[in-house]
Amino acid sequence: MDKFIVTGGSRLSGTVSISGAKNASLALMPTCLLASGVFTLHNTPNNRDVHTFSLLLEQMGVQWKLEKNVLTLDSTNITSHEAPYEYVKQMRASIYVLGPLVARYGEAMVSLPGGCNFGPRPVDLHLKGLEKLGAEITIESGYIHAKCKRLQGTHFHFDVSSVGATVNILMAAVLAHGQTTLTNAAFEPEVIAIADMLVDMGAQISGIGTPTLEIQGVDALHAANQTTIPDRIEAGTFLIAAAMTKGNVTLENVQPSHLAAEIQKLEEAGCVVTATENSVTISMDDDPQPVDITAAPYPAYPTDTQAQWAAFMMKCKGAATIKDTIYPTRFGYVPELQRLGADIETGDGYAIVRGGSSLTGATVMSSDLRASASLVMAGMIAEGETEILRVYHLDRGYEGMEHKLTSLGANIRREQTEEF
Ligand code: EPZ
């Protein structure tokens, strides 16, 4: 078990390269189940979730190698159509193998994902979509059994905009017989990335980047390669970390258009932000103005950076309200920030952060991937040392975070610990 020790007071400055998007990689990897061959995914982040997904695919017969952020997947010899609980309990995105397996092999046995630290994570839309495509779905002993000789094109409307369900149903529909229309589909950059990948593999998809996708099913697809888009959530995390420490930081290898909502909020808070085609520079000389955010589906402010915004607003001159319309209970980080001295009130689906209280280091507990990032950032502005336990949460979605922060001048180190 590892922990981070962060000493507050450093001002971040310099340049950092942002990794490929975890949530794009986790959607791209299962496309290798849709065709036989060797797939090369460039700019793949070397983080824990990518490793977990690689092991899941390996036990299904995929051979893989991840070297210098290039992931090669060889799906020539698939031997299993099952995703065991031991993988799904570690990473919900394991359910992404469901659509491809049913579409290509006519069957799948995938463990139901468990709960999550920030609330219920249902998969009803994944299952309803597959049933609408003609799959027979049964749930037995915690496993989803899905069967269908050949999926049939249909019209499926997503009751809510769901990244995961859109990814899963899209990967099923591309091999279905006939035309499929998906309405109220998610169109996050990560969904666009996988749709582009499927087209490169020979799929026929129109409406990419919009909530309505038209898919003309094909009989077979072929292997393809792709360069993973930059991680907009890591980028947002680093932009806020720079602003919190009154720093001056340039992020390289980013797509500024993916960060429009975050950049607007940072400018409202008083930051100066400039961008080129693939970089963003942020500087901040003062404590931030209080700025409210409401997390919602793209292109709104992302739920995956609302915890980081709360940490930022601990320094604001006033009070800022943070709402999350996607995960109304995603505020598990609040009690941990309160241990550092933060003045935060929470209610149903919101938190109110009152700035100005003095922050002193303490031992805090990570509860989920993005909460742990907000604790690291809070430690950078607290007096003294902050210990962040259970950084395995953070390692799931950030590649070498302590090294990147150290290169920008943060005082952070990783230590082994027996503490749990
Ligand atoms: C993806 O999760 C991301 N994970 C999450 O990032 C992100 O927070 C989330 O999208 C929202 O943007 C990956 O891409 C691997 P959803 P996902 O389906 O697909 C409801 C991180 O930190 N819903 O878009 O599971 C659901 O309850 C992770 O990197 C249903 O009701 O999220 C939620 O309210 C955390 N039924 C809303 O839709 C379903 O069948 C959006 O969830 C599926 C979802």
Side-chain angles (χ1 to χ4, degrees), residues 22-24 26-27 49 91-93 95-96 116 118-128 158-167 186 188 190 231-233 296-298 302-305 325-328 330 368-370 396-398:
K22 163 182 87 84
N23 291 346
L26 299 183
D49 273 6
M91 185 189 62
R92 301 174 36 76
I95 196 171
Y96 283 168
C116 178
F118 48 80
R121 305 283 297 277
V123 292
D124 57 310
L125 294 176
H126 298 245
L127 304 184
K128 280 179 192 162
F158 293 90
D159 294 345
V160 293
S161 171
S162 161
V163 169
T166 300
V167 167
E188 272 70 357
E190 295 75 25
D231 193 316
R232 62 194 171 95
I233 304 303
Y298 190 84
T303 174
D304 293 344
T305 25
T325 63
I326 297 180
Y327 300 118
R330 192 177 189 172
D368 75 66
L369 162 54
R370 307 306 175 178
R396 288 189 53 186
Y398 292 95

